[in-house]
Amino acid sequence: MALEHPVDATQTSAWKALQEHHDKLQHEGISLKRWFAENPDRVPSMTFDLNDLRFDFSKNLVTDETLSLLVQLAKDVHLEERRDAMLAGVHINTTEDRAVLHTALRRPADQVGTVMVDGQDAVADVHEVLSQIYAFAEKVRSGQWKGVTGKKIETVVNIGIGGSDLGPAMAYEALKPYADAGITARFVSNIDPNDIAEKTKGLDPETTMFIIVSKTFTTLETLTNAGEAKAWLLSGLEAQGAIDGSEAQAKEAIAKHFVAVSTALDKVEAFGIDPANAFGFWNWVGGRYSVDSAVGTILAVVLGPERFQDFLAGMHAMDHHFATAPLEQNVPVLMGLMNVWYVDFFKSYSHAVLPYNQYLSRFPAYLQQLTMESNGKSVRWDGTPVTCHTGEVFWGEPGTNGQHAFYQLLHQGTSMIPADFIAFVNTPNPARENGQDVQELFLGNFLAQTKALAFGKTPDEVRAEGTPEEIVPARVFQGNRPTTSIFGVSLTPFALGELIALYEHITFTEGTVWGIDSFDQWGVELGKQLAKQITPALSESDEALAEQDPSTQSLIEFYRENRVW
Ligand code: F6P
């Protein structure tokens, strides 16, 4: 059963022990160099191999004692009970009274019947929709599905925002080497008219398909962009003489060039999309946890059903580990607990995710929604205020680019920023330059950065290089900057699935310690409401203008004075 009231983590004996332990470590002086020297077992005991991924926690500011106290904290807040409740379909999303079952989306078909939610067999429902998606994807990939003029679809444009965009967009970038059907994807999310204008540039309406993705099918950005896409398609086809402007031909064109993904299939129909071309999902899937639902339809089209299945299998493998591994060896649990350690005991309020893989360039942006929309909360799941800091800022950029931009602050700034480094042994694009394997040049940097952050450089080492004394302080590296290394064999659909599920469960672990409902997002509502009130003031409603605060009024006046189109 879901717990009615969260345990206040700060009142547990584990929290108090962690505070004392932290003070003791600070007092003794934290030194990764010393910890490595004193404990030859540190690396093996803090390394975990899961399938094709190696996790090295040894460069974190933790000792064996820290980890066991953190595990005790997880036990004190009943992490395992809440995890099991989530996996079983209990309504742990209390403010929306919903089950939280993204893990059911990747349960294999032989688990049909294992998760009942509100009297429905969730896994059976999932596999029914997956079959529809796979059949659709095969038709588009093979060219059996044709545009209104009989041509094969060459570009699929995903229109969605937040969870209906970030997951598929990130995964498409990540898995581009697997896109093998000659179909490319584009992603429109922003209501800024520049977005759709640029993304439709150069496209031929005859060979373009739009997938309108919205869990609620009420999101202003997505419905506006979908309307614009409809107009773009119909006017383009008309201009080419492909359709004659009659309602019947417009309807046929929309049926051939628009599909939808939503939990609100009635609204899809009202929008003018044939319900036969719509794929459903359920309100027990949060938007930011939905890339593996029908929201990932574009991935099934571009990569093919088999790769999509591999992607789901990777997620399921991580779910299985999360559900069954003892907490002491549970990778997402330990990573979530270490994050709490840094946020609440070291007061490190930001966390970098640094993929050493260009294909993962959108991974940090994806994680920002996953982690910050989930845990950026000040009240707990029973409505009481949180009792400690929650919800660190996640951010990042691929290495090595970041090295030449913000790493200076990571190495020598006054804030300690824990970082996850993610790299893969193999590349689909091997290259040699000047007799040197370029992947090795790249990976050398990945390894060098975590080493520099951990072990630093002492004044004596700097002096030994002949540095003039007055410059020595500027060239010293304190070290003891914590990192986790995640080193994989190759960035496959399976590995990407594992990574996504890993961070989902890290987020859950942190949220549970903090007593947070990580599955609602009430904090996004006020801005939406106010935008509705303010927009009429831009278009000359003096009544709406008069209702605004002086700062908003002054900005609107600036807009009115300067608008030129
Ligand atoms: O406004 C935030 C949010 O509700 C996200 O949680 C969600 O992923 C996004 O908007 C898009 O919502 P929808 O899929 O319903 O269009």
Side-chain angles (χ1 to χ4, degrees):
M1 282 296 293
L3 300 165
E4 263 191 23
H5 299 290
V7 172
D8 181 347
T10 65
Q11 297 307 308
T12 61
S13 51
W15 189 280
K16 285 173 192 141
L18 278 161
Q19 192 57 62
E20 280 164 24
H21 172 67
H22 177 262
D23 295 347
K24 190 181 95 191
L25 292 181
Q26 295 282 28
H27 181 73
E28 287 170 4
I30 287 175
S31 166
L32 281 168
K33 250 187 210 165
R34 194 179 75 242
W35 289 347
F36 269 71
E38 283 170 3
N39 179 9
D41 203 32
R42 183 173 174 89
V43 175
S45 68
M46 293 191 187
T47 296
F48 298 89
D49 286 334
L50 283 190
N51 306 307
D52 49 352
L53 301 177
R54 166 158 294 187
F55 295 85
D56 179 358
F57 298 156
S58 65
K59 296 195 196 85
N60 279 284
L61 303 189
V62 293
T63 62
D64 291 342
E65 188 185 353
T66 322
L67 290 177
S68 60
L69 289 172
L70 286 169
V71 165
Q72 190 51 51
L73 177 65
K75 291 183 177 157
D76 286 358
V77 299
H78 307 301
L79 178 78
E80 285 159 300
E81 287 88 327
R82 188 163 166 82
R83 173 197 64 193
D84 295 346
M86 173 174 75
L87 298 176
V90 174
H91 285 210
I92 65 162
N93 175 356
T94 44
T95 70
E96 296 180 308
D97 190 17
R98 287 179 184 167
V100 174
L101 272 178
H102 43 280
T103 50
L105 295 168
R106 50 265 190 160
R107 283 189 188 257
D110 63 9
Q111 294 194 14
V112 162
T114 56
V115 185
M116 301 301 288
V117 57
D118 307 329
Q120 265 299 110
D121 183 339
V123 185
D125 288 352
V126 163
H127 281 273
E128 195 184 319
V129 175
L130 280 176
S131 312
Q132 292 164 9
I133 292 170
Y134 293 160
F136 165 73
E138 291 292 16
K139 276 194 212 156
V140 178
R141 287 166 65 78
S142 66
Q144 193 190 334
W145 181 297
K146 295 189 188 337
V148 69
T149 58
K151 290 192 178 164
K152 181 179 188 282
I153 299 299
E154 289 171 3
T155 309
V156 186
V157 182
N158 192 90
I159 297 184
I161 196 164
S164 297
D165 165 73
L166 287 163
M170 175 276 289
Y172 173 64
E173 275 309 310
L175 300 175
K176 257 187 188 159
Y178 296 88
D180 59 354
I183 300 172
T184 52
R186 295 190 186 187
F187 294 84
V188 174
S189 54
N190 203 331
I191 196 167
D192 178 344
N194 299 331
D195 196 12
I196 192 160
E198 288 301 327
K199 300 287 174 50
T200 47
K201 245 183 209 167
L203 292 184
D204 178 355
E206 290 183 81
T207 58
T208 301
M209 171 182 273
F210 293 93
I211 306 186
I212 313 303
V213 186
S214 176
K215 177 175 167 181
T216 54
F217 229 76
T218 57
T219 304
L220 177 71
E221 289 88 338
T222 302
L223 296 190
T224 306
N225 281 324
E228 283 196 58
K230 228 194 234 179
W232 175 87
L233 181 92
L234 296 179
S235 63
L237 289 172
E238 252 184 86
Q240 290 170 356
I243 57 171
D244 63 9
S246 69
E247 213 174 288
Q249 288 207 349
K251 205 169 166 202
E252 199 194 332
I254 288 166
K256 294 281 166 49
H257 293 266
F258 275 81
V259 299
V261 172
S262 187
T263 57
L265 296 180
D266 51 327
K267 295 199 176 90
V268 168
E269 190 170 8
F271 183 81
I273 296 178
D274 186 345
N277 296 339
F279 306 106
F281 62 116
W282 307 270
N283 74 10
W284 40 260
V285 184
R288 54 195 174 274
Y289 298 86
S290 68
V291 59
D292 46 339
S293 70
V295 169
T297 297
I298 194 165
L299 301 172
V301 171
V302 174
L303 308 171
E306 246 177 66
R307 267 89 184 233
F308 196 73
Q309 275 167 325
D310 289 346
F311 173 62
L312 298 184
M315 297 183 108
H316 181 65
M318 186 58 73
D319 294 344
H320 181 72
H321 168 79
F322 174 60
T324 57
L327 297 185
E328 294 75 10
Q329 290 155 33
N330 197 310
V331 169
V333 168
L334 291 175
M335 287 180 73
L337 292 171
M338 286 193 290
N339 288 355
V340 170
W341 172 237
Y342 294 129
V343 170
D344 288 307
F345 296 89
F346 286 86
K347 313 294 176 205
S348 287
Y349 300 144
S350 119
H351 191 109
V353 179
L354 307 167
Y356 275 66
N357 190 303
Q358 191 60 29
Y359 288 118
L360 284 178
S361 60
R362 295 291 289 157
F363 195 57
Y366 167 77
L367 289 184
Q368 286 186 323
Q369 188 199 14
L370 175 64
T371 57
M372 290 156 74
E373 203 173 70
S374 295
N375 286 339
K377 318 260 165 84
S378 310
V379 293
R380 301 186 296 165
W381 68 65
D382 63 353
T384 56
V386 296
T387 52
C388 55
H389 194 93
T390 66
E392 68 271 47
V393 174
F394 280 78
W395 59 281
E397 276 290 321
T400 58
N401 295 0
Q403 291 176 202
H404 299 275
F406 53 79
Y407 276 39
Q408 165 66 39
L409 186 147
L410 297 185
H411 285 288
Q412 290 187 315
T414 51
S415 337
M416 181 185 97
I417 300 181
D420 300 343
F421 281 70
I422 306 171
F424 293 88
V425 173
N426 297 297
T427 171
N429 301 297
R432 291 190 84 76
E433 178 58 27
N434 258 337
Q436 171 66 53
D437 185 307
V438 179
Q439 175 75 351
E440 288 182 0
L441 275 179
F442 182 41
L443 293 179
N445 277 273
F446 154 67
L447 297 167
Q449 290 298 325
T450 57
K451 184 170 180 168
L453 288 163
F455 304 118
K457 199 175 197 181
T458 62
D460 284 346
E461 285 166 338
V462 176
R463 281 186 198 107
E465 289 172 344
T467 307
E469 194 54 34
E470 62 274 23
I471 302 178
V472 168
R475 299 191 60 177
V476 167
F477 290 73
Q478 283 173 352
N480 301 315
R481 312 246 158 167
T483 62
T484 290
S485 296
I486 304 174
F487 206 6
V489 175
S490 300
L491 180 52
T492 59
F494 187 92
L496 183 68
E498 288 177 294
L499 280 181
I500 294 172
L502 168 78
Y503 280 93
E504 287 176 351
H505 302 323
I506 291 171
T507 303
F508 174 85
T509 301
E510 295 188 60
T512 298
V513 173
W514 292 325
I516 281 176
D517 177 347
S518 301
F519 304 101
D520 61 12
Q521 58 284 320
W522 299 106
V524 300
E525 292 306 318
L526 179 59
K528 289 185 195 173
Q529 247 174 34
L530 292 181
K532 274 194 200 142
Q533 290 168 17
I534 293 174
T535 305
L538 289 165
S539 56
E540 312 294 321
S541 159
D542 289 334
E543 208 183 302
L545 182 63
E547 282 167 14
Q548 308 307 325
D549 63 89
S551 163
T552 308
Q553 280 177 350
S554 135
L555 293 167
I556 291 172
E557 275 153 14
F558 179 82
Y559 167 82
R560 287 183 178 185
E561 282 158 23
N562 290 289
R563 181 184 159 134
V564 288
W565 73 95

